[in-house]
Amino acid sequence: MLEGTMTSTTEITHLTFDVLVDLLRKIFVRHGVSETTAAILADNCARAERDGSFSHGIFRVPGYISTLKSGWVDGKAQPVIEDDGAALIRVDARNGFTLAASALARPTLLERAREQGVGVLAIRNSHHFSALWPDVEPFADEGLVALSFVNSMAVVVPPGGKKAIFGTNPVAFAAPRAGQPPYVFDQSSSAIANGDVQIAAREGHSLREGAGVDRDGNPTTDPRAVLDGGALLPFGGYKGASIALMVEILAAALTGGNFSREVDWSQHPGAQTPCTGQLFIVIDPARGGNGHFAERVAEICDLTREAGQERLPSDRRFRTRAETARTGIPIKAKDMALLQELVSE
Amino acid sequence: MLEGTMTSTTEITHLTFDVLVDLLRKIFVRHGVSETTAAILADNCARAERDGSFSHGIFRVPGYISTLKSGWVDGKAQPVIEDDGAALIRVDARNGFTLAASALARPTLLERAREQGVGVLAIRNSHHFSALWPDVEPFADEGLVALSFVNSMAVVVPPGGKKAIFGTNPVAFAAPRAGQPPYVFDQSSSAIANGDVQIAAREGHSLREGAGVDRDGNPTTDPRAVLDGGALLPFGGYKGASIALMVEILAAALTGGNFSREVDWSQHPGAQTPCTGQLFIVIDPARGGNGHFAERVAEICDLTREAGQERLPSDRRFRTRAETARTGIPIKAKDMALLQELVSE
């Protein structure tokens, strides 16, 4: 039995966070990722699994490995920071993982946000394959407000359209909240996340109405029809489409990365990580005098609950995080077998 | 006949932009607004009317006047810039119009965005009663990317809720586009804009399904039921609600302004302009090397059209603007009579 395993049945193994990180790190290293980047990817993936963000947890590991094997991404890439001392910093991820680039630039971004009241980080030539909330939440833990935008590969048609042009293009936001975990959301600009379509297809569930179209542009609730040449629709009609387009502009046009439509991995069978760009905007709410920011955020969140919204975006994740801190992170037998296989491959 | 009137029938008068601005400016001055601020409000209101944004054009003038008469807003307020040289600038609008504060701070904001690659402007104690696109579009004309957020008064319930807590909380975005007018959107976080509910009520139209609830929290398509103790719903369900809450955090908690729920004009009958806050984020896309930004924005907008989206958010406004530049701005007889009455009151 693996050290750190807390309980085990034939169905579910419970791992501590550190044990899961270590296992994932070894898997990434074994498949060509540098030690530094492997530790970053493993930490990120384990956080998602720990918090119940299953579509971005262990579920993603085969996609990472398949992409590394295809030669599409450089797991050993050394990102290069382009810093002229301004509040806007650029990073060329050099065809590596975005998380490696953002981790490298984070201290500079924090320094500029403190110095100037705001910092912007523009990353390009970068592969983002993870949830977006882990990218913004740590800034809120430092008392800062963070916004992030990342585009992906073309799987979303604009309203009335037949050709997929946008990525699922999530927007994530985090703000510190007094006496409670930060307010964090991470939401795709599509009616449903691509990871959830993959899970629905795997588990044989239908999608809700309005989620997507088939290869001919007709509405469908069949996840396989969406994945097989079909496409997703934006959330909220034209308004969601405006946001999806804004994300292409901020994450790709502004950073110098690829548009979702330009991601072309046809020469790399097995590739799954879109090579695009990511933008961060980090603001220091205390700059120029505002000592009550975190209290005010708590106030508006509490008002929202009182008004009748049962659950705020981050509630379920923080609850799951607290649970798994007690019980360990539950891993299904087949996922455990997969991880064991990948680490010894 | 007023000088600058281009054509006239019993139904419609056509005014040049400058003549409409001058008429509006005189109306604002006559009702207690300083010369400087009156010119700013008049220009803003005329731009909305010129571009066919009727819910924020002449339609708003009686609300401005009624509010000025109520003593709720200070039309002569002198905004105070709080600038310590950082990229984040604050302005206390001192219970005046937001537009006066943003106009005063604009040169500093532009300077910081050029110097640092990004500038943030946080305005508080400010009355915003206009469309949001005129606030961001001029930055795109300078080659910059702009985002803005403003909260208003509580007219939106969260999903599943019965108590209005959010404003319509628009988000506006602008980016320069090579060879074409900028890409600009201005969209409320509600399923429909409050101004459009007012117009529907006035003209006796129904709202579309999902737009709002009545005073008991039940869905309704009757604009009068929404205005009479009912509320709007966010667009796109939970995702729109997340954005509405983010706007409260950015425009109020971060700036030091009121939440929409805190706007209390009960002692000022006739007041209609919410006193809250506004946040601007302005980024220089050329900072650190990106000479092709405007071309890239044009490219993704063109791709979106080619994919089948017939109209991008700013298309109709720019078309109307071109038309009214030729024909003059059409003013209905009853609106013309109203303006004439207000200027000579």
Side-chain angles (χ1 to χ4, degrees):
Chain A
M1 200 161 114
L2 205 67
E3 194 190 344
T5 302
M6 292 170 75
T7 64
S8 176
T9 71
T10 49
E11 288 301 323
I12 304 285
T13 305
H14 287 81
L15 300 186
T16 63
F17 181 74
D18 290 347
V19 166
L20 179 56
V21 170
D22 196 55
L23 181 56
L24 290 166
R25 186 186 57 74
K26 286 174 180 153
I27 290 170
F28 286 122
V29 169
R30 181 163 291 272
H31 290 87
V33 178
S34 70
E35 283 285 352
T36 308
T37 301
I40 294 166
L41 296 184
D43 180 81
N44 177 275
C45 183
R47 281 172 193 265
E49 192 71 22
R50 174 196 71 184
D51 286 10
S53 291
F54 299 120
S55 60
H56 290 93
I58 293 169
F59 177 72
R60 290 268 158 165
V61 173
Y64 275 113
I65 305 307
S66 163
T67 308
L68 285 158
K69 286 181 175 168
S70 79
W72 166 246
V73 67
D74 179 2
K76 292 190 163 67
Q78 293 284 349
V80 177
I81 300 184
E82 296 161 359
D83 174 19
D84 65 4
L88 189 154
I89 309 145
R90 293 181 181 273
V91 182
D92 181 351
R94 300 181 72 184
N95 199 39
F97 291 106
T98 322
L99 287 168
S102 52
L104 186 72
R106 190 168 185 271
T108 312
L109 178 58
L110 280 171
E111 180 196 284
R112 295 305 144 77
R114 299 282 186 209
E115 275 174 8
Q116 292 294 337
V118 57
V120 168
L121 175 61
I123 302 172
R124 68 183 186 279
N125 300 329
S126 51
H127 295 248
H128 202 282
F129 197 55
S130 42
L132 199 55
W133 60 262
D135 295 3
V136 293
E137 191 187 296
F139 291 102
D141 293 336
E142 304 260 359
L144 303 168
V145 175
L147 266 165
S148 190
F149 311 89
V150 64
N151 64 321
S152 49
M153 70 271 193
V155 291
V156 174
V157 283
K162 294 198 178 272
K163 196 162 94 181
I165 180 156
F166 302 130
T168 51
N169 292 10
V171 175
F173 175 77
R177 189 162 46 159
Q180 298 171 62
Y183 173 70
V184 182
F185 72 73
D186 167 5
Q187 59 193 29
S188 67
S189 308
S190 53
I192 182 171
N194 208 40
D196 290 332
V197 179
Q198 289 170 31
I199 287 182
R202 194 179 64 169
E203 300 187 350
H205 298 151
S206 287
L207 306 176
R208 63 168 176 274
E209 296 285 338
V213 296
D214 66 18
R215 57 166 61 240
D216 300 317
N218 302 311
T220 182
T221 59
D222 179 358
R224 288 158 306 178
V226 169
L227 295 173
D228 180 27
L232 303 174
L233 282 164
F235 88 99
Y238 282 95
K239 291 187 179 184
S242 297
I243 293 173
L245 178 49
M246 177 183 76
V247 172
E248 296 288 336
I249 291 172
L250 293 175
L254 201 154
T255 64
N258 288 320
F259 290 130
S260 300
R261 186 73 203 169
E262 294 169 334
V263 173
D264 179 9
W265 48 36
S266 56
Q267 302 307 305
H268 298 270
Q272 293 185 35
T273 63
C275 181
T276 58
Q278 180 175 7
L279 192 82
F280 288 83
I281 300 171
V282 177
I283 300 175
D284 182 356
R287 184 67 189 219
N290 182 348
H292 302 290
F293 179 71
E295 285 75 17
R296 293 286 281 164
V297 175
E299 211 176 315
I300 189 69
C301 288
D302 292 347
L303 275 171
T304 306
R305 281 206 188 85
E306 284 164 35
Q309 185 169 338
E310 283 184 19
R311 205 175 73 199
L312 294 185
S314 35
D315 286 353
R316 190 167 59 183
R317 282 197 303 98
F318 287 116
R319 202 171 54 234
T320 305
R321 189 182 303 180
E323 276 168 25
T324 56
R326 283 196 312 274
T327 62
I329 302 167
I331 317 283
K332 287 181 188 163
K334 65 175 181 178
D335 286 342
M336 200 63 219
L338 172 79
L339 296 179
Q340 298 286 15
E341 184 191 319
L342 288 172
V343 78
S344 53
E345 225 177 25
Chain B
M1 200 162 114
L2 206 68
E3 192 190 344
T5 302
M6 291 171 76
T7 64
S8 177
T9 72
T10 50
E11 288 300 324
I12 303 284
T13 305
H14 288 81
L15 300 186
T16 62
F17 181 74
D18 290 347
V19 166
L20 179 57
V21 170
D22 196 54
L23 181 56
L24 291 166
R25 186 186 57 75
K26 285 175 181 154
I27 290 170
F28 287 122
V29 169
R30 180 164 291 270
H31 290 87
V33 179
S34 71
E35 283 285 353
T36 309
T37 302
I40 294 165
L41 296 184
D43 180 81
N44 177 275
C45 183
R47 282 172 193 264
E49 192 71 23
R50 173 197 71 185
D51 286 10
S53 291
F54 299 121
S55 59
H56 290 93
I58 292 168
F59 177 73
R60 290 267 158 167
V61 174
Y64 274 112
I65 304 307
S66 164
T67 308
L68 286 158
K69 286 181 175 168
S70 79
W72 166 246
V73 67
D74 180 2
K76 293 189 163 68
Q78 294 284 350
V80 177
I81 300 185
E82 295 159 1
D83 173 19
D84 65 3
L88 189 152
I89 310 146
R90 292 181 182 273
V91 182
D92 182 351
R94 300 183 70 186
N95 200 39
F97 291 107
T98 321
L99 287 168
S102 53
L104 186 72
R106 190 167 186 272
T108 312
L109 178 58
L110 281 171
E111 180 196 284
R112 296 304 144 77
R114 299 281 186 210
E115 275 174 10
Q116 293 294 337
V118 57
V120 168
L121 175 62
I123 302 172
R124 67 183 186 278
N125 300 328
S126 51
H127 295 247
H128 202 281
F129 198 55
S130 43
L132 199 54
W133 59 262
D135 296 2
V136 294
E137 191 188 296
F139 291 102
D141 292 336
E142 304 261 359
L144 302 169
V145 175
L147 265 164
S148 190
F149 312 89
V150 64
N151 64 320
S152 49
M153 69 273 194
V155 292
V156 174
V157 285
K162 292 199 180 273
K163 196 162 94 182
I165 180 155
F166 303 130
T168 50
N169 291 9
V171 175
F173 175 78
R177 189 162 46 159
Q180 298 171 63
Y183 172 69
V184 182
F185 72 73
D186 167 5
Q187 60 192 31
S188 67
S189 309
S190 53
I192 181 171
N194 208 40
D196 289 331
V197 179
Q198 289 170 30
I199 286 182
R202 194 179 64 172
E203 301 189 348
H205 299 149
S206 288
L207 306 175
R208 63 169 177 273
E209 296 284 337
V213 296
D214 65 19
R215 57 165 60 239
D216 300 317
N218 301 312
T220 182
T221 58
D222 178 359
R224 289 158 306 178
V226 169
L227 295 173
D228 180 26
L232 304 174
L233 282 164
F235 88 98
Y238 281 94
K239 291 187 180 183
S242 297
I243 293 173
L245 179 50
M246 177 183 76
V247 172
E248 295 287 337
I249 292 172
L250 293 175
L254 201 153
T255 64
N258 288 319
F259 291 130
S260 301
R261 186 73 202 169
E262 294 169 335
V263 173
D264 179 10
W265 47 38
S266 56
Q267 301 308 304
H268 298 270
Q272 293 185 35
T273 62
C275 180
T276 58
Q278 181 175 7
L279 191 82
F280 288 84
I281 300 170
V282 177
I283 301 175
D284 182 356
R287 185 68 189 219
N290 182 349
H292 302 291
F293 179 71
E295 284 75 16
R296 293 286 281 164
V297 175
E299 211 176 315
I300 189 67
C301 288
D302 292 347
L303 274 171
T304 306
R305 281 206 188 83
E306 283 165 32
Q309 184 169 338
E310 282 184 17
R311 204 174 75 199
L312 294 186
S314 35
D315 285 353
R316 191 168 60 183
R317 283 196 302 97
F318 286 116
R319 201 171 55 233
T320 306
R321 188 182 302 179
E323 275 168 27
T324 56
R326 283 197 311 274
T327 62
I329 303 167
I331 316 284
K332 287 181 188 163
K334 64 174 181 177
D335 286 342
M336 201 62 218
L338 172 80
L339 296 180
Q340 297 286 15
E341 184 190 319
L342 288 172
V343 79
S344 53
E345 227 178 22

